Amino acid sequence: MKISACMIAKNEEKVIARCIESYRTAVNEIIVVDTGSTDQTVAIAKNLGAKVFYFNWIDDFAAAKNYAISKAKGDWIIFLDADEYFGENMGGNVRAVLQGLDPIFNSIACKMLNIDQVTGKVFDVMTQVRIFKNNKHIRYILPIHEMLQHKLPGKKIHAFMADAKDIVIYHTGYSCDNRKEKAERNLEVLLRELPQAPMKPGYYQYIADCYFGLEEWEKVIEYTNLFIESKTELSGHNIRPYHNLIDAMLKLDHPSKEVMAVINEAIGKFPYHPLFHFSKGNLLYESQKYDTAFQEYQETLQLHKNYDSLEFNPLPANLWLVYNRLGAISEHRNNCEAAIEYYLESLKLDNNNALCFDRLMMLIRTMAVKDIILCINTLYDLDNEADLDFLADCLVKHAVPQVMAYYISLREKKYPKQDVAVLQMLVANGYYDKAFHALLDYYRQDGDDRLAATAAAVALLSGNEYYVAECVAVLPPVFIKIIKAYCGEERDLLDAGIAAYVQIAQLIILWGTPSALERFVALLVFFPDRVQAAVVTGSRFIQDSYYQQGLCLYDWALEQAMSVNAVISPALYYNRGYCLQRLNEPAAALEAFISAYKLGYHANDIFEFLRWNIQNENDKNRVATVLGEDWKYVDHQI
């Protein structure tokens, strides 16, 4: 049995060798058809033993590929594009698979992983026929999105599905960087073929794909609906129209009910596919329907685990988000152990997600230092500069000074750089004298308010009157006013300074003592609207998972508002309830959420929090009485 490897190529000098090397020792000949290269593509191909032929480009991929096939002498053909390649040592498996193949099959379908060539991450998985018999009746059709077809009546491409343990193909040709360029190129060709679309409806979907890449969402919807109405099937790509349609509708802010109707239609047609349960979970999550979203995400993971269909599957690029949101919902439910596990799984898939890393750190920051370090070390390469930079940037936002010192010191040994992270590490560990003047110099250079807040926090925490004086001489007036108020020098109304106040408060809660924080929080009385100032500061504390401190602020704000008979915002009670929920005080949390509902807070998440804090039949009856018709939103999962 002889095997020919075929390829068409143009200006592929960066990738062609990788492709050829992945099968070179397993084939009897290599055919490369060049369509107009101006780089070293041809020379590289010849050096690797390829026979090179030339084809004048006529905007027809099928014609060029069929020309390559016409030059092949093998019994079987491997046809990879230059930016595709077999997984490590898998090219050699092709012959063994062919030798054991039942004669009823005339082709082999393989799993193909599409990899973003910039990030190296898998963004979808599909199945492609890239190995087939050298038969004069098996040829490519269509000038773009070309596909194999058996030209004899009654005959078809009958593919054997290769086991992914034996053969996997990687494709690096698409990325966020070149998607628009390729979409424009393809669209120009496809629009010329548009008159044929009524007879060949696949063109509608290919055109919709191009408009998707160009982010022309109305056009995506128009051509996708034309394709769906045709009831045409595209082997391996039947879920793509619904995938595109749902995304386009979301981009154009179509009503949730309309989008959900399309999602449910897709689930009905493709009940085995994980993608649409993921879409449903997202829509429910964004609508703050957390329990039902959680169920959909779990179903997504189960379907993905068992998935073995030929249909393309874009879920791999989004698995990190599934785990991330399962973590967030688990946090809302106060199941912190589960949240930690979900966040770890998310970071294993995308360890550069700062928001996910922050959520994880907020949950594990009270663990022993050695345990935190062991946890982080499972996720990051400590010899990788980018990973160490990421850790340095993230850890400065968390009250784990020894952990921060460990990673920043490690980075300084391997990749020295005196940046703000180093100074923040020094401050977090109490070395104010080594950091203050450098921080002030950084502020003088770029005027960043975050640096101003850091310098102000150091001056206040150190108690050094010279640092205070230097800050007063350099920082913006709003920071100066806060510094003077803290030092008892001036206590005028701190008008228009809440943003600066919150920035400093974040740092004092990270680096200061409880008494320093208490002293700083006491300054809230000097704001014109002290209640609003407390609410804003409390919201920041909640975001950073300081629930006890947030609760104290909300209790104080509530007391202040009641003392002057001010209108109380339902959000004040809601946030107070959230703090109590996270502090595992369900009875008090339930009272706060009921108060928020009575005052008009009727967003979907209130029903989730009411449900989670109902402890007994009395609670259930009471909530049912208060909510009336709205009780159905709580009751459906109790």
Side-chain angles (χ1 to χ4, degrees):
M1 177 177 59
K2 292 184 178 180
I3 303 174
S4 299
C6 295
M7 175 195 303
I8 65 171
K10 179 181 178 182
N11 293 335
E12 300 284 6
E13 65 179 6
K14 294 180 180 179
V15 294
I16 190 170
R18 180 184 60 190
C19 176
I20 293 175
E21 290 287 9
S22 75
Y23 56 63
R24 185 159 67 104
T25 60
V27 302
N28 300 97
E29 66 173 353
I30 301 168
I31 307 293
V32 173
V33 170
D34 187 77
T35 62
S37 295
T38 56
D39 63 2
Q40 294 301 306
T41 296
V42 170
I44 294 170
K46 287 181 176 179
N47 286 338
L48 292 171
K51 301 173 186 176
V52 177
F53 300 89
Y54 300 91
F55 182 84
N56 290 326
W57 185 245
I58 55 172
D59 285 340
D60 192 325
F61 284 92
K65 287 190 172 184
N66 289 336
Y67 178 72
I69 293 171
S70 74
K71 301 299 181 182
K73 300 293 191 292
D75 304 299
W76 286 83
I77 291 172
I78 295 172
F79 212 124
L80 299 188
D81 292 339
D83 53 14
E84 298 171 354
Y85 58 98
F86 288 115
E88 188 174 359
N89 299 322
M90 286 184 169
N93 294 339
V94 174
R95 188 175 295 274
V97 173
L98 288 173
Q99 287 172 339
L101 196 63
D102 190 304
I104 66 170
F105 296 108
N106 56 18
S107 59
I108 295 178
C110 311
K111 286 291 184 187
M112 178 180 286
L113 279 62
N114 286 313
I115 300 172
D116 188 303
Q117 61 191 16
V118 176
T119 66
K121 294 176 181 175
V122 176
F123 59 82
D124 65 40
V125 179
M126 61 179 64
T127 302
Q128 294 285 311
V129 173
R130 289 288 191 266
I131 305 167
F132 53 92
K133 274 189 174 179
N134 189 357
N135 181 318
K136 65 180 181 179
H137 300 297
I138 296 177
R139 290 293 185 268
Y140 285 97
I141 62 169
L142 304 180
I144 198 163
H145 291 287
E146 66 284 359
M147 64 178 66
L148 281 174
Q149 185 180 78
H150 202 300
K151 294 189 174 182
L152 289 182
K155 298 287 186 178
K156 63 179 183 178
I157 302 298
H158 193 188
F160 170 78
M161 184 67 213
D163 193 308
K165 295 193 299 291
D166 296 324
I167 304 175
V168 169
I169 299 170
Y170 294 92
H171 174 222
T172 59
Y174 285 91
S175 73
C176 294
D177 288 350
N178 66 11
R179 184 172 296 174
K180 183 176 180 181
E181 176 187 339
K182 290 200 171 186
E184 288 173 341
R185 178 199 68 189
N186 292 347
L187 184 61
E188 183 180 349
V189 177
L190 286 165
L191 289 178
R192 290 202 297 267
E193 302 292 327
L194 187 56
Q196 297 187 48
M199 292 78 73
K200 299 178 180 178
Y203 281 121
Y204 290 133
Q205 181 52 37
Y206 301 144
I207 290 170
D209 280 343
C210 292
Y211 281 123
F212 192 93
L214 297 171
E215 300 183 3
E216 295 188 31
W217 308 118
E218 294 285 5
K219 292 286 189 181
V220 172
I221 293 173
E222 176 187 350
Y223 284 97
T224 299
N225 282 329
L226 286 171
F227 177 77
I228 291 173
E229 289 165 10
S230 75
K231 298 185 175 5
T232 302
E233 291 193 359
L234 293 174
S235 179
H237 295 272
N238 291 306
I239 69 124
R240 190 184 292 274
Y242 285 95
H243 175 46
N244 289 354
L245 182 59
I246 292 164
D247 278 5
M249 293 175 73
L250 289 170
K251 294 289 186 182
L252 293 171
D253 293 323
H254 280 225
S256 294
K257 286 186 178 179
E258 292 181 12
V259 181
M260 187 63 81
V262 176
I263 291 173
N264 285 330
E265 181 182 337
I267 289 174
K269 287 191 173 183
F270 309 100
Y272 59 86
H273 206 291
L275 178 65
F276 301 113
H277 288 277
F278 171 66
S279 300
K280 189 170 184 176
N282 289 342
L283 196 58
L284 290 165
Y285 183 89
E286 297 295 343
S287 301
Q288 299 175 310
K289 297 178 180 179
Y290 297 126
D291 276 341
T292 48
F294 194 89
Q295 293 169 8
E296 291 299 326
Y297 286 136
Q298 287 189 313
E299 181 70 7
T300 299
L301 291 178
Q302 188 60 45
L303 288 171
H304 182 69
K305 179 181 177 181
N306 299 328
Y307 186 72
D308 62 357
S309 170
L310 298 180
E311 286 291 326
F312 103 107
N313 181 16
L315 191 65
N318 296 292
L319 274 175
W320 70 270
L321 181 58
V322 177
Y323 286 112
N324 187 51
R325 287 189 164 174
L326 285 168
I329 296 169
S330 296
E331 266 204 271
H332 287 325
R333 289 170 161 178
N334 230 19
N335 188 347
C336 294
E337 287 186 11
I340 290 171
E341 292 302 317
Y342 285 127
Y343 287 140
L344 284 170
E345 289 301 318
S346 182
L347 287 166
K348 287 174 186 176
L349 295 165
D350 181 9
N351 68 0
N352 285 312
N353 188 306
L355 290 176
C356 187
F357 182 87
D358 286 344
R359 295 312 310 172
L360 175 66
M361 284 303 305
M362 290 172 195
L363 291 172
I364 68 173
R365 65 189 175 202
T366 57
M367 290 168 50
V369 169
K370 65 176 182 178
D371 292 332
I372 298 174
I373 290 173
L374 284 172
C375 181
I376 293 173
N377 286 354
T378 65
L379 301 169
Y380 296 93
D381 179 357
L382 302 188
D383 291 319
N384 183 288
E385 183 177 4
D387 278 6
L388 290 173
D389 282 342
F390 175 84
L391 291 173
D393 290 341
C394 288
L395 287 169
V396 297
K397 295 179 283 186
H398 300 281
V400 286
Q402 290 174 285
V403 176
M404 187 198 316
Y406 174 81
Y407 287 105
I408 293 180
S409 297
L410 187 62
R411 187 192 67 168
E412 290 311 295
K413 289 177 184 176
K414 296 183 177 184
Y415 310 102
K417 55 187 78 176
Q418 287 295 315
D419 59 7
V420 175
V422 174
L423 301 177
Q424 289 171 311
M425 175 198 71
L426 293 171
V427 172
N429 286 277
Y431 297 108
Y432 304 132
D433 292 344
K434 294 182 178 180
F436 176 74
H437 288 102
L439 282 169
L440 215 53
D441 286 342
Y442 271 115
Y443 171 73
R444 289 190 183 98
Q445 291 169 26
D446 62 20
D448 190 327
D449 276 356
R450 289 171 297 182
L451 290 170
T454 306
V458 172
L460 299 182
L461 292 174
S462 68
N464 188 315
E465 61 185 39
Y466 296 105
Y467 292 172
V468 169
E470 288 185 68
C471 284
V472 168
V474 173
L475 298 185
V478 66
F479 288 97
I480 294 171
K481 216 167 193 180
I482 294 168
I483 291 170
K484 288 184 174 182
Y486 184 88
C487 295
E489 296 177 23
E490 294 179 16
R491 292 197 165 173
D492 298 332
L493 289 178
L494 300 177
D495 53 316
I498 188 59
Y501 176 86
V502 169
Q503 283 181 307
I504 299 174
Q506 280 183 274
L507 300 173
I508 289 180
I509 203 170
L510 282 179
W511 302 334
T513 61
S515 60
L517 180 64
E518 183 179 350
R519 181 178 171 186
F520 193 76
V521 166
L523 300 182
L524 288 168
V525 298
F526 299 110
F527 281 91
D529 187 342
R530 61 181 64 175
V531 172
Q532 179 60 18
V535 168
V536 171
T537 308
S539 296
R540 183 66 255 181
F541 285 176
I542 289 176
Q543 289 178 46
D544 292 340
S545 296
Y546 291 102
Y547 301 112
Q548 186 60 60
Q549 293 84 348
L551 177 63
C552 290
L553 281 176
Y554 283 112
D555 284 345
W556 184 81
L558 195 58
E559 180 184 302
Q560 294 293 312
M562 288 179 170
S563 69
V564 294
N565 293 319
V567 175
I568 298 173
S569 163
L572 197 159
Y573 276 109
Y574 171 85
N575 286 334
R576 184 174 180 276
Y578 188 77
C579 290
L580 289 162
Q581 152 90 6
R582 297 305 305 274
L583 292 169
N584 201 26
E585 296 185 34
L590 187 66
E591 290 298 323
F593 287 127
I594 288 173
S595 296
Y597 178 85
K598 286 180 176 178
L599 287 174
Y601 190 101
H602 293 174
N604 288 330
D605 59 344
I606 194 75
F607 305 117
E608 309 290 292
F609 286 109
L610 286 167
R611 182 187 310 118
W612 297 336
N613 286 282
I614 288 174
Q615 301 294 299
N616 51 49
E617 197 66 24
N618 287 337
D619 287 346
K620 181 178 175 180
N621 292 336
R622 182 161 174 246
V623 173
T625 301
V626 171
L627 267 61
E629 278 294 310
D630 283 346
W631 167 248
K632 61 188 176 185
Y633 300 120
V634 176
D635 184 49
H636 74 281
Q637 288 186 348
I638 289 181

